Amino acid sequence: MRDDELARVMRSVGLELGATRIDLAGGASGSGVYRVQIDGDAAVLKVTVAGDWQNNARRELTFYQTLADQVPVTTPRLLRYADNDHFTALLLSAHGSARPAREWDRPAWLEVARQLAAIHSIPPPGEDPWIDPPVHRKLPYLPPIDVAEAYWPTTGAADSVRPLLDEPDQLVEALRAIPDCFGHGDCHVDNLLREGEQIVWADWQVAGVGCPASELAFLWSRANADGAELPYEAMLREYVAHREVDPALFHRALVAAEIEILLFAWPHFAASLTQEERDRLTRRLLSLIHDWSTT
C-alpha cells in the first residue's frame, strides 16, 4: 500500500502516518498489517482494500462487534475501525507474537485443545454471516481430485491411497456424522499469539459454522508440516473431555478430516516443499490410513 493510501486509512481511525509504524507480514487473508502507536500503547492496524477479500474483513469486524465477548478465549480488542467502499480497517490491541509450531511444548498443545473445545461448545449463531463460511474455508473440504491423482501415485503411499481416491465420499460421510459448530475457521499457530503462557486467538476473518473435526485436523496438519511433534492422542483426550461429543464418532471424523487435508490439499503445495517435508507428510498419511482402516 502506498504511503498516501495508508495515510488516508490511518486518518480514518484517528492516526497520523508519522505514528510509529512497522509493517508486519501480510497474511493469506489479503490484509496489510501494521504495528502502530495509539495513546502511547502499541496497536495493530489491519487493512483490507476493496475486492475479493473485503467481505472477510467485514466478517472479522462483525465478529469483534458481536461475538468476541462471547467466545471463551482471549482475543484482541477492537479499538477503532473504518469501513467504506474503498477499504475496511481494524485497529486492534497488540499482543505477543506467534511461535513456530516446533517450539510449542506439550502443555501448550493441550491448552489449545481445551480452548478449541470451549470455542466449539458455544451455541452456534444461526444468522448470516456465520452460517455461510467463505468458500475457501467451507468444511468439510470437498476438493477436485485431479492434483491428488497426479501426486500420490508417485509416492510411497500409492497403493494405500487408491481406495480413498476412488471413493472419497466415505471420508465426507464420517465428517457429516458429527454436528457442525461455531469455529475459528483458520486455526493454526500463526494465528495463536503467545504472551507468556497465555494464548491470544487472532484473525477471525473466516470464522463461522462448520465441521469441528476439520478445524482440529487443520491445526494438526499445518503443525506437522512445520516439523512439530504433536501429542495427538493426549490432545484428542483433552478435547473430548471438555466438550460433549461422542468420542468414537469424533475420532473417526478427525481421522477422515486429516486424511482429506493431506490427500487433497497438500499436493497443491508439494512443489514448494523439501523432500524431507514431503516424506513427513507421506508418513503421517500412511499412519492415518491405517487408523482409518481399523476404526
Side-chain angles (χ1 to χ4, degrees):
M1 179 175 286
R2 301 194 314 266
D3 276 358
D4 61 326
E5 296 172 328
L6 183 58
R8 180 174 60 163
V9 173
M10 293 180 71
R11 284 195 297 270
S12 73
V13 292
L15 299 174
E16 294 298 328
L17 186 60
T20 303
R21 190 191 95 207
I22 303 172
D23 296 0
L24 304 177
S29 61
S31 299
V33 184
Y34 309 89
R35 187 175 291 269
V36 297
Q37 291 284 322
I38 176 172
D39 299 329
D41 294 323
V44 170
L45 178 65
K46 191 171 183 178
V47 184
T48 307
V49 298
D52 293 341
W53 295 99
Q54 192 175 17
N55 284 341
N56 286 357
R58 287 171 169 162
R59 175 191 294 262
E60 185 169 34
L61 174 59
T62 302
F63 167 82
Y64 284 115
Q65 291 175 321
T66 65
L67 290 181
D69 290 340
Q70 299 178 38
V71 295
V73 295
T74 301
T75 74
R77 291 176 292 106
L78 179 65
L79 305 175
R80 300 175 186 173
Y81 71 91
D83 181 41
N84 54 49
D85 291 341
H86 304 288
F87 59 82
T88 300
L90 281 66
L91 189 64
L92 302 166
S93 57
H95 297 275
S97 59
R99 297 180 192 172
R102 292 184 300 276
E103 296 180 9
W104 284 56
D105 57 18
R106 180 185 176 91
W109 286 121
L110 297 185
E111 181 59 27
V112 169
R114 283 191 290 270
Q115 293 192 16
L116 190 60
I119 295 172
H120 290 172
S121 296
I122 68 173
E127 67 279 351
D128 291 336
W130 316 116
I131 59 176
D132 184 25
V135 65
H136 67 290
R137 275 284 179 260
K138 282 191 180 296
L139 304 173
Y141 180 61
L142 299 172
I145 67 171
D146 54 331
V147 177
E149 286 274 16
Y151 175 74
W152 287 110
T154 68
T155 72
D159 292 338
S160 298
V161 303
R162 189 71 264 161
L164 295 169
L165 289 174
D166 290 342
E167 297 185 45
D169 286 350
Q170 59 185 299
L171 300 173
V172 177
E173 290 173 5
L175 296 177
R176 289 177 175 163
I178 58 173
D180 285 349
C181 69
F182 179 77
H184 178 273
D186 197 12
C187 181
H188 57 83
V189 298
D190 289 344
N191 288 333
L192 301 176
L193 309 180
R194 302 290 299 276
E195 291 190 330
E197 299 304 312
Q198 184 181 52
I199 298 170
V200 181
W201 292 68
D203 199 347
W204 293 84
Q205 288 206 349
V206 290
V209 175
C211 175
S214 293
E215 181 143 80
L216 183 54
F218 184 66
L219 172 68
W220 283 359
S221 186
R222 283 282 299 261
N224 176 63
D226 290 341
E229 297 296 333
L230 293 106
Y232 293 107
E233 293 184 7
M235 287 182 72
L236 177 56
R237 287 195 299 271
E238 202 69 27
Y239 180 94
V240 299
H242 289 82
R243 184 164 180 250
E244 293 185 6
V245 64
D246 183 300
L249 283 179
F250 189 82
H251 174 247
R252 186 162 176 80
L254 183 56
V255 173
E258 197 177 354
I259 288 175
E260 200 167 42
I261 292 168
L262 285 167
L263 195 61
F264 297 114
W266 276 110
H268 291 268
F269 306 99
S272 64
L273 302 176
T274 66
Q275 186 61 51
E276 180 181 354
E277 290 168 333
R278 292 195 294 271
D279 290 345
R280 184 182 183 90
L281 295 175
T282 299
R283 289 193 300 271
R284 178 63 182 164
L285 179 59
L286 287 171
S287 174
L288 288 162
I289 291 175
H290 177 268
D291 197 356
W292 172 258
S293 66
T294 57
T295 57

